[in-house]
Amino acid sequence: MSDDLLPPLPGPRPAPTAARRLRTRALWAGLLLVPATILVVVLALASASGTECVMYGTCGEIPGWAYLATLAVAVAAWIRALSTPDTPHTPATGRTAAFWILLGAELTFLSLVAGHFSG
């Protein structure tokens, strides 16, 4: 059998650049949540109200479920933004929406952390 008679095998299809860019941004947004949280805590502790919160216990009354809810939304959106396949049947709007939901949940979490120290 000759190789000329066989059709060429399709090679791996490269991901579209917009999808790859969005996936990279989502990856970095998720990975930078921990350093951003540390930065917000350090900046909050550097303020007068943050120091007062630690010294005298006048911290804000933010319920723990609010932190967990924003983190759960952020994790779910992060997984959705990273694991959505690049197929013509998958709308890019879902991946983009997951990315923006991820950013919104992370910003909400960071503002809750800052609000805890502002009293």
Side-chain angles (χ1 to χ4, degrees), residues 18-67:
R20 185 179 303 137
R21 222 178 344 198
L22 185 65
R23 201 172 279 124
T24 303
R25 289 177 185 165
L27 177 67
W28 281 108
L31 291 177
L32 290 176
L33 178 63
V34 173
T37 303
I38 293 170
L39 179 67
V40 165
V41 169
V42 167
L43 291 176
L45 289 176
S47 68
S49 61
T51 305
E52 205 173 281
C53 166
V54 173
M55 297 292 284
Y56 304 115
T58 60
C59 299
E61 297 294 326
I62 299 173
W65 62 263
Y67 296 105

Short mmCIF file of all heavy atoms in Angstrom, two decimals, residues 18-67:
data_model
loop_
_atom_site.label_atom_id
_atom_site.label_comp_id
_atom_site.label_asym_id
_atom_site.label_seq_id
_atom_site.Cartn_x
_atom_site.Cartn_y
_atom_site.Cartn_z
N ALA A 18 -7.53 34.58 20.63
CA ALA A 18 -8.39 35.25 21.61
C ALA A 18 -8.71 34.32 22.77
O ALA A 18 -8.70 34.72 23.93
CB ALA A 18 -9.67 35.73 20.95
N ALA A 19 -8.98 33.05 22.47
CA ALA A 19 -9.27 32.08 23.52
C ALA A 19 -8.03 31.83 24.37
O ALA A 19 -8.13 31.73 25.60
CB ALA A 19 -9.77 30.78 22.91
N ARG A 20 -6.89 31.72 23.74
CA ARG A 20 -5.65 31.50 24.49
C ARG A 20 -5.34 32.69 25.39
O ARG A 20 -4.94 32.54 26.54
CB ARG A 20 -4.50 31.25 23.53
CG ARG A 20 -3.21 30.90 24.23
CD ARG A 20 -2.08 30.64 23.27
NE ARG A 20 -2.42 29.59 22.33
CZ ARG A 20 -2.16 29.66 21.02
NH1 ARG A 20 -1.55 30.71 20.52
NH2 ARG A 20 -2.49 28.68 20.23
N ARG A 21 -5.55 33.89 24.86
CA ARG A 21 -5.30 35.10 25.64
C ARG A 21 -6.23 35.18 26.85
O ARG A 21 -5.80 35.49 27.96
CB ARG A 21 -5.52 36.31 24.75
CG ARG A 21 -4.51 37.38 24.93
CD ARG A 21 -4.77 38.50 23.99
NE ARG A 21 -5.68 38.05 22.93
CZ ARG A 21 -5.87 38.62 21.78
NH1 ARG A 21 -5.23 39.71 21.51
NH2 ARG A 21 -6.69 38.16 20.89
N LEU A 22 -7.51 34.85 26.63
CA LEU A 22 -8.48 34.90 27.72
C LEU A 22 -8.16 33.84 28.77
O LEU A 22 -8.26 34.10 29.97
CB LEU A 22 -9.89 34.70 27.17
CG LEU A 22 -11.01 34.85 28.19
CD1 LEU A 22 -11.06 36.29 28.69
CD2 LEU A 22 -12.33 34.47 27.57
N ARG A 23 -7.76 32.67 28.33
CA ARG A 23 -7.40 31.61 29.26
C ARG A 23 -6.17 32.00 30.07
O ARG A 23 -6.10 31.74 31.27
CB ARG A 23 -7.16 30.32 28.48
CG ARG A 23 -7.28 29.10 29.33
CD ARG A 23 -7.22 27.83 28.51
NE ARG A 23 -8.51 27.55 27.92
CZ ARG A 23 -8.72 27.38 26.62
NH1 ARG A 23 -7.74 27.46 25.78
NH2 ARG A 23 -9.91 27.12 26.17
N THR A 24 -5.19 32.64 29.44
CA THR A 24 -4.00 33.08 30.15
C THR A 24 -4.35 34.16 31.17
O THR A 24 -3.85 34.14 32.31
CB THR A 24 -2.96 33.62 29.15
OG1 THR A 24 -2.66 32.61 28.20
CG2 THR A 24 -1.69 34.05 29.85
N ARG A 25 -5.20 35.08 30.79
CA ARG A 25 -5.62 36.13 31.72
C ARG A 25 -6.38 35.54 32.91
O ARG A 25 -6.20 35.97 34.04
CB ARG A 25 -6.49 37.16 31.01
CG ARG A 25 -5.72 38.02 30.06
CD ARG A 25 -6.62 38.97 29.33
NE ARG A 25 -5.87 39.72 28.34
CZ ARG A 25 -6.41 40.40 27.38
NH1 ARG A 25 -7.72 40.45 27.25
NH2 ARG A 25 -5.66 41.06 26.52
N ALA A 26 -7.23 34.57 32.64
CA ALA A 26 -7.98 33.93 33.73
C ALA A 26 -7.04 33.17 34.66
O ALA A 26 -7.22 33.18 35.88
CB ALA A 26 -9.04 32.99 33.15
N LEU A 27 -6.04 32.53 34.09
CA LEU A 27 -5.07 31.80 34.90
C LEU A 27 -4.34 32.75 35.84
O LEU A 27 -4.23 32.51 37.04
CB LEU A 27 -4.07 31.06 34.00
CG LEU A 27 -2.96 30.32 34.72
CD1 LEU A 27 -3.51 29.15 35.50
CD2 LEU A 27 -1.91 29.86 33.73
N TRP A 28 -3.85 33.87 35.29
CA TRP A 28 -3.13 34.83 36.12
C TRP A 28 -4.04 35.51 37.12
O TRP A 28 -3.62 35.79 38.26
CB TRP A 28 -2.43 35.86 35.25
CG TRP A 28 -1.16 35.32 34.69
CD1 TRP A 28 -0.92 34.97 33.39
CD2 TRP A 28 0.03 35.01 35.40
NE1 TRP A 28 0.35 34.47 33.26
CE2 TRP A 28 0.96 34.48 34.48
CE3 TRP A 28 0.41 35.12 36.72
CZ2 TRP A 28 2.23 34.08 34.85
CZ3 TRP A 28 1.68 34.72 37.09
CH2 TRP A 28 2.58 34.21 36.17
N ALA A 29 -5.28 35.77 36.75
CA ALA A 29 -6.22 36.40 37.69
C ALA A 29 -6.47 35.48 38.89
O ALA A 29 -6.52 35.94 40.03
CB ALA A 29 -7.53 36.73 36.99
N GLY A 30 -6.60 34.20 38.63
CA GLY A 30 -6.81 33.26 39.73
C GLY A 30 -5.57 33.07 40.58
O GLY A 30 -5.65 32.98 41.81
N LEU A 31 -4.41 33.01 39.96
CA LEU A 31 -3.18 32.78 40.71
C LEU A 31 -2.76 34.00 41.53
O LEU A 31 -2.11 33.86 42.56
CB LEU A 31 -2.04 32.39 39.76
CG LEU A 31 -2.18 31.02 39.10
CD1 LEU A 31 -1.02 30.79 38.13
CD2 LEU A 31 -2.23 29.91 40.13
N LEU A 32 -3.13 35.18 41.07
CA LEU A 32 -2.72 36.40 41.78
C LEU A 32 -3.68 36.80 42.90
O LEU A 32 -3.48 37.84 43.52
CB LEU A 32 -2.56 37.55 40.79
CG LEU A 32 -1.36 37.41 39.85
CD1 LEU A 32 -1.34 38.55 38.85
CD2 LEU A 32 -0.07 37.38 40.63
N LEU A 33 -4.69 35.97 43.17
CA LEU A 33 -5.61 36.31 44.25
C LEU A 33 -4.92 36.26 45.61
O LEU A 33 -5.13 37.13 46.46
CB LEU A 33 -6.83 35.38 44.25
CG LEU A 33 -7.84 35.61 45.37
CD1 LEU A 33 -8.44 37.00 45.26
CD2 LEU A 33 -8.92 34.55 45.35
N VAL A 34 -4.07 35.28 45.84
CA VAL A 34 -3.39 35.17 47.14
C VAL A 34 -2.44 36.35 47.37
O VAL A 34 -2.50 36.98 48.44
CB VAL A 34 -2.66 33.80 47.25
CG1 VAL A 34 -1.82 33.74 48.51
CG2 VAL A 34 -3.67 32.67 47.23
N PRO A 35 -1.55 36.70 46.42
CA PRO A 35 -0.72 37.88 46.67
C PRO A 35 -1.53 39.17 46.81
O PRO A 35 -1.17 40.05 47.61
CB PRO A 35 0.19 37.95 45.44
CG PRO A 35 0.17 36.61 44.86
CD PRO A 35 -1.14 36.02 45.20
N ALA A 36 -2.63 39.28 46.08
CA ALA A 36 -3.47 40.47 46.21
C ALA A 36 -4.10 40.53 47.58
O ALA A 36 -4.22 41.62 48.18
CB ALA A 36 -4.54 40.48 45.12
N THR A 37 -4.51 39.39 48.11
CA THR A 37 -5.09 39.35 49.46
C THR A 37 -4.06 39.76 50.50
O THR A 37 -4.36 40.53 51.42
CB THR A 37 -5.64 37.94 49.76
OG1 THR A 37 -6.58 37.59 48.75
CG2 THR A 37 -6.31 37.90 51.11
N ILE A 38 -2.84 39.26 50.36
CA ILE A 38 -1.78 39.63 51.29
C ILE A 38 -1.50 41.13 51.21
O ILE A 38 -1.34 41.80 52.24
CB ILE A 38 -0.50 38.80 51.01
CG1 ILE A 38 -0.76 37.33 51.35
CG2 ILE A 38 0.69 39.33 51.80
CD1 ILE A 38 0.32 36.39 50.89
N LEU A 39 -1.49 41.67 50.01
CA LEU A 39 -1.26 43.11 49.84
C LEU A 39 -2.37 43.93 50.47
O LEU A 39 -2.12 44.94 51.14
CB LEU A 39 -1.13 43.45 48.35
CG LEU A 39 -0.91 44.91 48.01
CD1 LEU A 39 0.45 45.37 48.52
CD2 LEU A 39 -1.03 45.13 46.52
N VAL A 40 -3.62 43.52 50.30
CA VAL A 40 -4.75 44.24 50.89
C VAL A 40 -4.67 44.19 52.41
O VAL A 40 -4.91 45.20 53.09
CB VAL A 40 -6.09 43.66 50.38
CG1 VAL A 40 -7.26 44.13 51.23
CG2 VAL A 40 -6.31 44.05 48.94
N VAL A 41 -4.30 43.04 52.97
CA VAL A 41 -4.17 42.93 54.43
C VAL A 41 -3.06 43.83 54.94
O VAL A 41 -3.22 44.54 55.94
CB VAL A 41 -3.94 41.46 54.85
CG1 VAL A 41 -3.53 41.36 56.31
CG2 VAL A 41 -5.19 40.64 54.60
N VAL A 42 -1.92 43.84 54.26
CA VAL A 42 -0.80 44.69 54.69
C VAL A 42 -1.19 46.16 54.60
O VAL A 42 -0.92 46.95 55.52
CB VAL A 42 0.46 44.39 53.85
CG1 VAL A 42 1.53 45.45 54.04
CG2 VAL A 42 1.00 43.02 54.20
N LEU A 43 -1.84 46.56 53.51
CA LEU A 43 -2.26 47.95 53.37
C LEU A 43 -3.33 48.32 54.39
O LEU A 43 -3.34 49.44 54.91
CB LEU A 43 -2.77 48.21 51.95
CG LEU A 43 -1.71 48.19 50.85
CD1 LEU A 43 -2.36 48.36 49.48
CD2 LEU A 43 -0.66 49.25 51.09
N ALA A 44 -4.22 47.40 54.69
CA ALA A 44 -5.26 47.68 55.69
C ALA A 44 -4.65 47.79 57.09
O ALA A 44 -5.05 48.65 57.88
CB ALA A 44 -6.32 46.59 55.67
N LEU A 45 -3.67 46.96 57.38
CA LEU A 45 -3.02 47.04 58.70
C LEU A 45 -2.16 48.29 58.84
O LEU A 45 -1.87 48.72 59.95
CB LEU A 45 -2.18 45.79 58.95
CG LEU A 45 -2.96 44.51 59.19
CD1 LEU A 45 -2.02 43.33 59.34
CD2 LEU A 45 -3.86 44.63 60.40
N ALA A 46 -1.74 48.86 57.73
CA ALA A 46 -0.94 50.07 57.78
C ALA A 46 -1.79 51.30 58.09
O ALA A 46 -1.24 52.35 58.46
CB ALA A 46 -0.20 50.27 56.47
N SER A 47 -3.09 51.18 57.96
CA SER A 47 -3.97 52.32 58.24
C SER A 47 -4.26 52.40 59.74
O SER A 47 -4.04 51.46 60.50
CB SER A 47 -5.27 52.20 57.46
OG SER A 47 -6.03 51.13 57.97
N ALA A 48 -4.78 53.53 60.17
CA ALA A 48 -5.10 53.73 61.58
C ALA A 48 -6.22 52.79 62.02
O ALA A 48 -6.17 52.21 63.11
CB ALA A 48 -5.47 55.18 61.84
N SER A 49 -7.23 52.65 61.17
CA SER A 49 -8.36 51.79 61.56
C SER A 49 -7.96 50.32 61.57
O SER A 49 -8.47 49.54 62.37
CB SER A 49 -9.54 52.01 60.61
OG SER A 49 -9.18 51.69 59.29
N GLY A 50 -7.02 49.92 60.69
CA GLY A 50 -6.54 48.54 60.70
C GLY A 50 -5.75 48.23 61.93
O GLY A 50 -5.88 47.15 62.53
N THR A 51 -4.92 49.17 62.36
CA THR A 51 -4.16 48.98 63.59
C THR A 51 -5.09 48.95 64.79
O THR A 51 -4.92 48.14 65.71
CB THR A 51 -3.13 50.12 63.74
OG1 THR A 51 -2.33 50.16 62.57
CG2 THR A 51 -2.25 49.92 64.95
N GLU A 52 -6.09 49.82 64.79
CA GLU A 52 -7.07 49.83 65.86
C GLU A 52 -7.85 48.52 65.91
O GLU A 52 -8.18 48.01 66.98
CB GLU A 52 -8.03 51.00 65.61
CG GLU A 52 -8.70 51.53 66.84
CD GLU A 52 -9.48 52.77 66.49
OE1 GLU A 52 -8.85 53.83 66.37
OE2 GLU A 52 -10.71 52.66 66.34
N CYS A 53 -8.13 47.97 64.73
CA CYS A 53 -8.83 46.68 64.64
C CYS A 53 -8.03 45.58 65.34
O CYS A 53 -8.57 44.80 66.11
CB CYS A 53 -9.06 46.33 63.18
SG CYS A 53 -9.55 44.63 62.87
N VAL A 54 -6.74 45.55 65.09
CA VAL A 54 -5.90 44.50 65.68
C VAL A 54 -5.67 44.76 67.17
O VAL A 54 -5.72 43.84 67.98
CB VAL A 54 -4.56 44.40 64.92
CG1 VAL A 54 -3.61 43.46 65.61
CG2 VAL A 54 -4.81 43.95 63.49
N MET A 55 -5.43 46.01 67.53
CA MET A 55 -5.09 46.33 68.92
C MET A 55 -6.29 46.25 69.86
O MET A 55 -6.18 45.75 70.97
CB MET A 55 -4.48 47.74 68.99
CG MET A 55 -3.19 47.88 68.22
SD MET A 55 -1.85 46.96 68.94
CE MET A 55 -1.44 47.98 70.31
N TYR A 56 -7.45 46.76 69.42
CA TYR A 56 -8.59 46.88 70.32
C TYR A 56 -9.78 46.01 69.91
O TYR A 56 -10.80 46.03 70.58
CB TYR A 56 -9.04 48.34 70.40
CG TYR A 56 -7.94 49.27 70.83
CD1 TYR A 56 -7.45 50.23 69.98
CD2 TYR A 56 -7.36 49.16 72.10
CE1 TYR A 56 -6.43 51.08 70.36
CE2 TYR A 56 -6.34 49.99 72.49
CZ TYR A 56 -5.87 50.96 71.61
OH TYR A 56 -4.86 51.78 71.99
N GLY A 57 -9.68 45.29 68.81
CA GLY A 57 -10.76 44.40 68.40
C GLY A 57 -11.96 45.10 67.81
O GLY A 57 -13.09 44.63 67.95
N THR A 58 -11.75 46.22 67.14
CA THR A 58 -12.88 46.97 66.56
C THR A 58 -13.04 46.64 65.08
O THR A 58 -13.36 47.51 64.28
CB THR A 58 -12.64 48.49 66.73
OG1 THR A 58 -11.43 48.83 66.06
CG2 THR A 58 -12.56 48.89 68.18
N CYS A 59 -12.83 45.41 64.73
CA CYS A 59 -12.91 45.00 63.32
C CYS A 59 -14.36 44.99 62.85
O CYS A 59 -15.30 44.92 63.66
CB CYS A 59 -12.31 43.61 63.14
SG CYS A 59 -10.58 43.52 63.60
N GLY A 60 -14.54 45.03 61.55
CA GLY A 60 -15.87 45.01 60.96
C GLY A 60 -16.56 43.68 61.18
O GLY A 60 -15.93 42.63 61.32
N GLU A 61 -17.86 43.72 61.19
CA GLU A 61 -18.68 42.51 61.40
C GLU A 61 -19.15 41.95 60.06
O GLU A 61 -20.30 42.11 59.67
CB GLU A 61 -19.87 42.85 62.29
CG GLU A 61 -19.50 43.31 63.67
CD GLU A 61 -18.84 42.20 64.49
OE1 GLU A 61 -19.21 41.02 64.32
OE2 GLU A 61 -17.95 42.53 65.29
N ILE A 62 -18.26 41.33 59.35
CA ILE A 62 -18.61 40.71 58.06
C ILE A 62 -18.74 39.21 58.30
O ILE A 62 -17.81 38.58 58.80
CB ILE A 62 -17.55 41.02 56.99
CG1 ILE A 62 -17.47 42.53 56.78
CG2 ILE A 62 -17.87 40.30 55.69
CD1 ILE A 62 -16.37 42.98 55.87
N PRO A 63 -19.88 38.62 57.95
CA PRO A 63 -20.06 37.19 58.21
C PRO A 63 -19.13 36.33 57.36
O PRO A 63 -18.76 36.69 56.24
CB PRO A 63 -21.53 36.94 57.85
CG PRO A 63 -21.91 38.05 56.96
CD PRO A 63 -21.05 39.22 57.33
N GLY A 64 -18.75 35.20 57.92
CA GLY A 64 -17.82 34.30 57.24
C GLY A 64 -18.39 33.72 55.95
O GLY A 64 -17.63 33.40 55.03
N TRP A 65 -19.70 33.57 55.89
CA TRP A 65 -20.29 32.99 54.68
C TRP A 65 -20.09 33.91 53.47
O TRP A 65 -20.06 33.44 52.34
CB TRP A 65 -21.78 32.67 54.87
CG TRP A 65 -22.63 33.86 55.16
CD1 TRP A 65 -23.03 34.30 56.38
CD2 TRP A 65 -23.19 34.77 54.20
NE1 TRP A 65 -23.79 35.43 56.25
CE2 TRP A 65 -23.91 35.74 54.92
CE3 TRP A 65 -23.15 34.85 52.82
CZ2 TRP A 65 -24.59 36.78 54.32
CZ3 TRP A 65 -23.82 35.90 52.20
CH2 TRP A 65 -24.54 36.84 52.94
N ALA A 66 -19.95 35.21 53.71
CA ALA A 66 -19.74 36.13 52.59
C ALA A 66 -18.39 35.87 51.93
O ALA A 66 -18.27 35.89 50.70
CB ALA A 66 -19.84 37.57 53.06
N TYR A 67 -17.37 35.62 52.74
CA TYR A 67 -16.05 35.30 52.20
C TYR A 67 -16.10 33.99 51.40
O TYR A 67 -15.58 33.90 50.30
CB TYR A 67 -15.02 35.14 53.33
CG TYR A 67 -14.76 36.39 54.10
CD1 TYR A 67 -15.26 36.56 55.38
CD2 TYR A 67 -13.99 37.42 53.57
CE1 TYR A 67 -15.00 37.70 56.11
CE2 TYR A 67 -13.73 38.57 54.29
CZ TYR A 67 -14.24 38.70 55.56
OH TYR A 67 -13.99 39.83 56.26
#
